[in-house]
Amino acid sequence: MSSLVEAVRAGRTAEALGLLDGLTDTERRAFLPELKELRKELRKAPWDEPSRRAYPALHAAGAACETGAAAAAVWIAATDMRWSQSSPALLIHILGDRDTAWLADVTHRLAGRPASAGVPYELMAGLVRLSGCPVPTTDAYVRGWVEHISHLRQLGNTLLDRLRTDPHLAELANAVFETEDIGSPLEWASTDGPNSWVDALAQLTTEGVLDRKRTVDACVARLLRGGTTLDNRVFLRVLKALTLTREEERERIADWLALASDAVPTVASHAQSVLGSLALDGEVRPRRLAEMSDAVLFRPEKKLVRAQLVLLGKVLARDASAADEVVPALAQAFGHEDADVQERALKLVERHLKKVRSPEVRAELAVAADQLIPTLRARAVETLGAAPVAAASTVYEEVLPPAPEAARLAPAPESAVELAEELGVLLATEGDVATFERALDGLVRHVYRDRDALLEALGPVVARRWWDSAEPGHGRRVDDHFSRMHHSFGSGSYGLDLLLATLLEKVHTVTLHEGAQHGHRGRECGHSALTRAFDARVWEVAYRLRAEPLPFLLSTPSWSTGLLEPGELVDRLDAYRRLGARVSEADFAQALLRVRRADRAAAAAAAERAEALGTAEGTRLARWLTSESPALPLSRRRTAGARVVVELGELLDLQEDFPAEFRALGKPVTAYGDRWHCYHWTQDVQPHWLAILPERRELVAARLVRDVSAVAVDDTRGAAAVLPLLAESGGVAGQATHLCVAYGLGARHPEDRLAAVDALLVLAARGQLDAARLGADLGELVRSGAVKPSRLAESVRTGAATGANATIWGILRHTLTALLADLDGDAKPAHARALGDLLTVAAECAERSGARGELPHLAQTVARGGSSRLVTQARRLRSALVEGVAA
């Protein structure tokens, strides 16, 4: 080992550089093999004090010894040395004696790396000064410059002052407008004034330090290119701060048209206002205004569409000669999804129709009127000469997604290497029930066949786990962790960690025995019955891996939902009998809960075979398969504040002849008390709960109601993700299942509402949706304040957009009956303001599906009179139900 490597290994940077001082390039290159070998060694070393001490010296020495520009840049920007590299000042000192062309090459190579590479701006800027090369305008350099200038605060020195004296201001300021996702550092100092990027750029442009035309063009081009919401907000602020003259606005009419058509709403609104001002001053020809309107009126943002209709109305009022070109643009709004927009557009057309001279335009308007909702189309028959509204020539057909089909579980991985790969993926991503069960069964099988081969294959997988460490005493802490803190696993991956740690002798046999024998010792919560069953099986498998390996698991499901075919379970019991294997109690209990009993013929045939095995487990299975079909327990609804929850009675069939940890599944579910203090912080384990009782989803749903209610009542995120799986599960979909879906439809976050809509459609496609029950639940939850009508309206509108108009109407007719009843009194309920949105969706669904009949309390709402959205949409709904025609 050379003295240089010794100094580097010890972290003596000054000594190492002193040894290199005065050497030729050839002599320096001679040290590279040793330095690279040391670097390879440090990559594998633990991240401890010795390695942290060596890295800065290694970083500096390597930069000094690399004589090629490309190699030097690669060494300096190396990922493995990013967190313990030498300082930029030291690197600049080391490289200071190199040729300027070489330095320029290194500079641009470093600047060309992505910003995520973390090359310090101070280093790149210092090399620019040394080499005298043109300043780079790459993403990394510009981002570094912005952050450097923003944070370089000195007493009496503002951001504006620092920018004004920057020698490369023009090049870098222009590059800012071309850098993606730069909004965050630009808006970091959000206050106005000389320390704001927005105001500083505008002021420098006003002063002439920055070329005005170039800056305005760059800003407009940046908005045209789009990007993140933050980027658009920042550059729109810059554009407004530049206070464009009328001449500058007129020069960019094409840009405003493009922005109004395609930009994000805030930018489009500004472009729309500029165009509106120009149009009212006669600066925009009617034809170009009509072209812009064709695009804007198709946008979903109601505010933009309404503003465009107002603008067109003003233009028509000022210039009657523009009617032949502008009025047809109004007809574009006839097909808008919002009925209010359609009505506004029709009123404008009716008001200015007499100004239209071209018969072709009138004929075009009459044809476009076919897009109007039935009530407005009937009006257009008289005013526009549209074709009369005729009875629907075709019968409405409901469009529902195909009922999902469960997937067959693939066999366990055949080779230990394949199993190890799947376990690695599963531990990293959590995976679904099918993946977990397949890997769990594979783990059991390979331990039984060849433990040593499995351990060898698992080496790379367990090397990255938190519990695998060679530190003294760590094994005891791992054992304590599993023993004391995780008798109730937060997810399937924790269970796999226990099994893998067991295989590597990280958990004591006594701990495994206690976990398998004494069961759940954690605090009780609403999910305890489910977690106890799940955990008992995992602990028992872990103990058997150590004491008496199982040939395979009896309870591995046949289907992705958790269902187990009865014939397959009989085959597995027969294999156990032939092998002389002792059945695991929790594994067999889980198999019984999963075995399919709904198909009575298949269950009876399997029971006969099971009885013939002559084993205790075969007899128990035969008795279970021939017993009565699973029944729902007695249930009742209870209120807890704004929440409505479900209580379940006792189920004796889940308590007789089952292990202690499984009997809680048949215990009553209560709504009150301190049992809801829960330690399940994530929803990763919820799909596994459904797979415990794949034919009795109500027992799981009742324990999930409070969780799912939080997405609506407490505005939490994610708890509704389980709803599609709940809808795909088996058994009766009772009031707990429907109540879960109701809460999901009123969730705060769009992804939760979408999950609830998916669940609703799945239930409908499987013929398991009780529209009256769900509608009544929603009415009750809206009245209690647990669900906001505006959120519910978004959800049902999404459901209707898939083609499920009759399904959504069947739900809303019961919801509206409850909510409209509250309007009959003198007091105005809190939900009355947003009720118009629900009525709008209901009217759309009724019109499309051809629904007929009276809706209680709707006539009284219509009789209130006025032009509010509530009354307008009530009138529209009543017209559809009594007089309308399916669209």
Side-chain angles (χ1 to χ4, degrees), residues 450-474:
D450 191 341
R451 181 189 294 262
D452 292 337
L454 177 60
L455 287 174
E456 182 180 353
L458 288 174
V461 175
V462 300
R464 296 189 293 269
R465 302 311 293 169
W466 59 268
W467 43 264
D468 185 62
S469 172
E471 294 182 18
H474 190 77

Side-chain angles (χ1 to χ4, degrees), residues 400-420:
L400 291 172
E405 296 182 0
R408 263 280 184 182
L409 236 65
E414 285 294 330
S415 70
V417 173
E418 183 185 357
L419 173 63

Side-chain angles (χ1 to χ4, degrees), residues 720 723-724 740-747 751-761 795:
L723 293 180
C740 284
V741 174
Y743 279 119
L745 293 173
E751 60 269 30
D752 285 316
R753 294 199 297 270
L754 187 59
V757 172
D758 286 344
L760 184 156
L761 296 175
S795 295

Side-chain angles (χ1 to χ4, degrees), residues 80-163:
D80 56 326
M81 291 186 279
R82 182 183 306 169
W83 304 112
S84 289
Q85 57 183 236
S86 52
S87 68
L90 180 59
L91 288 175
I92 292 171
H93 173 72
I94 292 170
L95 303 176
D97 60 348
R98 302 294 180 95
D99 179 73
T100 55
W102 187 92
L103 287 172
D105 192 1
V106 171
T107 302
H108 284 274
R109 288 178 184 275
L110 291 174
R113 288 184 167 267
S116 59
V119 179
Y121 166 77
E122 294 81 358
L123 172 61
M124 294 186 288
L127 292 175
V128 168
R129 289 192 299 270
L130 275 177
S131 64
C133 67
V135 63
T137 54
T138 62
D139 180 84
Y141 196 93
V142 173
R143 195 176 300 277
W145 175 71
V146 168
E147 294 177 354
H148 176 77
I149 292 289
S150 299
H151 292 86
L152 193 63
R153 294 192 172 189
Q154 300 172 3
L155 185 62
N157 190 359
T158 65
L159 174 67
L160 178 61
D161 296 330
R162 296 193 292 277
L163 288 173

Side-chain angles (χ1 to χ4, degrees), residues 82-364:
R82 182 183 306 169
W83 304 112
S84 289
Q85 57 183 236
S86 52
S87 68
L90 180 59
L91 288 175
I92 292 171
H93 173 72
I94 292 170
L95 303 176
D97 60 348
R98 302 294 180 95
D99 179 73
T100 55
W102 187 92
L103 287 172
D105 192 1
V106 171
T107 302
H108 284 274
R109 288 178 184 275
L110 291 174
R113 288 184 167 267
S116 59
V119 179
Y121 166 77
E122 294 81 358
L123 172 61
M124 294 186 288
L127 292 175
V128 168
R129 289 192 299 270
L130 275 177
S131 64
C133 67
V135 63
T137 54
T138 62
D139 180 84
Y141 196 93
V142 173
R143 195 176 300 277
W145 175 71
V146 168
E147 294 177 354
H148 176 77
I149 292 289
S150 299
H151 292 86
L152 193 63
R153 294 192 172 189
Q154 300 172 3
L155 185 62
N157 190 359
T158 65
L159 174 67
L160 178 61
D161 296 330
R162 296 193 292 277
L163 288 173
R164 190 181 281 120
T165 59
D166 192 293
H168 304 293
L169 173 64
E171 301 97 312
L172 293 174
N174 286 322
V176 163
F177 291 99
E178 298 176 1
T179 303
E180 299 297 330
D181 199 19
I182 195 69
S184 180
L186 289 179
E187 204 177 52
W188 184 77
S190 57
T191 56
D192 296 332
N195 275 316
S196 161
W197 273 95
V198 170
D199 291 338
L201 290 173
Q203 180 63 31
L204 291 170
T205 304
T206 302
E207 293 175 2
V209 178
L210 295 176
D211 181 80
R212 181 173 181 84
K213 185 177 187 309
R214 187 172 181 181
T215 302
V216 173
D217 286 345
C219 193
V220 173
R222 185 67 181 79
L223 293 173
L224 284 168
R225 193 164 67 249
T228 65
T229 301
L230 189 54
D231 280 0
N232 280 292
R233 183 169 69 231
V234 168
F235 290 113
L236 179 60
R237 287 178 57 204
V238 173
L239 184 64
K240 290 180 176 179
L242 291 172
T243 317
L244 271 60
T245 64
R246 179 47 59 95
E247 180 61 28
E248 289 173 325
E249 292 177 341
R250 191 184 304 113
E251 291 173 354
R252 295 170 175 82
I253 286 178
D255 294 330
W256 306 130
L257 290 169
L259 290 172
S261 302
D262 300 319
V264 298
T266 52
V267 177
S269 178
H270 174 73
Q272 187 184 49
S273 66
V274 173
L275 283 170
S277 176
L278 291 171
L280 293 176
D281 288 345
E283 303 282 358
V284 180
R285 297 195 306 273
R287 181 178 297 278
R288 300 201 72 176
L289 184 61
E291 291 173 358
M292 164 199 172
S293 300
D294 287 347
V296 174
L297 293 177
F298 268 114
R299 294 188 62 131
E301 299 89 4
K302 297 175 185 178
K303 183 177 179 181
L304 284 175
V305 173
R306 291 169 182 169
Q308 190 68 17
L309 292 176
V310 170
L311 171 61
L312 294 178
K314 290 180 179 180
V315 170
L316 288 169
R318 292 192 178 196
D319 183 7
S321 63
D324 283 346
E325 292 180 323
V326 173
V327 170
L330 288 170
Q332 297 295 329
F334 287 177
H336 198 275
E337 62 179 16
D338 186 6
D340 287 344
V341 169
Q342 292 187 19
E343 185 170 15
R344 289 176 184 230
L346 180 59
K347 285 181 178 179
L348 281 173
V349 170
E350 290 172 339
R351 185 180 306 157
H352 300 286
L353 184 63
K354 59 181 178 294
K355 301 175 183 177
V356 176
R357 297 184 298 273
S358 169
E360 290 81 6
V361 171
R362 289 176 175 269
E364 181 182 339

